[in-house]
Amino acid sequence: MRADARKNRDHLLAVAGTAISEQGVDVSLRDIARRADVGLATLLRHFPTREALLDALLRTSFDELTVKAGALETDDSPGDALVSWLRDCIAWTTEYRGAVVLMAAAIEDPESALHASCVTLRAAGARLLARAQAAGMARTDIDGADLFALVEALAWLGDQRSLAPRANRLFDVVASAILTSPASSDAEGKGTAATRARS
C-alpha cells in the first residue's frame, strides 16, 4: 500500500474509532466519512462494508490484548495476571460501544471477519486461566469459553448507561468468584478427601 493510501486509511480508522466510542458500532458510515472530511465513496473504497471497517478497527485491539496475554503468562502471580487481562479486555469493549454484541456473534460464526481474532483472544484468556488454575489461584470448574462469556457479560453492563456505575464493583465480585487462594484450594481438596473417606 502506498504511503498516502496508508495515511488515509489510518485517518479513517482513527475517526471511525472516535465515532464508535461516541455513538456505538451502528454509527452511520456516511457520518464517519463526513467527520473524516472525505466522500462516502472514499470510505467505501478502503472499507467496502461496515464489517470490513469494524474488522480493521477491532482486530488491532484484539491483537494487542492477545499480545498482552502472552506477556502476562510470565507474571509472578497467575491470579493477578488473569485479573489484569480481564480488566483490560472489559475496558476495551466498553470503549467501543456495542462491540461486545459483535464479539458474541463473531465467536459463533466462522464466516465472520472477526471470528479468527475472537477465537485467538479467547484462547489467550484460556491460557491465563489454565495457568492460574494450575497454581491453585482460580476455580477449576470454568474454562476459556466461560471466561469469554464473563467478559461479554461484564462488558454489556458497562454499555448500559443506567448500570455502568455498578460495573467496577461487579467486576470485583466476579473476579473474586473466579479466584481462589492456594490455601483454600488445599482446604477444599482435603475436605473432599475427608468426605470420600467417610463415604
Side-chain angles (χ1 to χ4, degrees), residues 29-128:
L29 295 182
R30 192 175 298 278
D31 185 42
I32 292 173
R34 180 186 56 76
R35 289 183 181 214
D37 200 25
V38 300
L40 180 60
T42 300
L43 174 64
L44 294 177
R45 189 161 58 247
H46 286 278
F47 307 104
T49 65
R50 178 185 299 275
E51 188 173 48
L53 172 62
L54 292 170
D55 175 46
L57 181 66
L58 302 183
R59 193 182 338 132
T60 299
S61 297
F62 285 167
D63 291 346
E64 289 172 354
L65 287 168
T66 300
V67 168
K68 172 152 191 180
L72 285 169
E73 287 183 41
T74 61
D75 193 281
D76 287 341
S77 171
D80 289 346
L82 176 62
V83 171
S84 174
W85 183 82
L86 277 175
R87 194 179 295 280
D88 284 347
C89 269
I90 293 161
W92 169 79
T93 55
T94 54
E95 178 183 349
Y96 293 116
R97 289 176 49 206
V100 65
V101 176
L102 294 177
M103 291 168 62
I107 198 76
E108 301 298 335
D109 180 12
E111 300 302 316
S112 168
L114 295 171
H115 178 74
S117 294
C118 283
V119 169
T120 301
L121 183 63
R122 181 174 66 183
R127 288 193 298 274
L128 288 174

Side-chain angles (χ1 to χ4, degrees), residues 1-13 46:
M1 182 181 292
R2 289 180 359 214
D4 57 340
R6 169 67 67 180
K7 182 178 180 181
N8 290 338
R9 186 178 186 277
D10 290 346
H11 173 62
L12 286 169
L13 285 175
H46 286 278

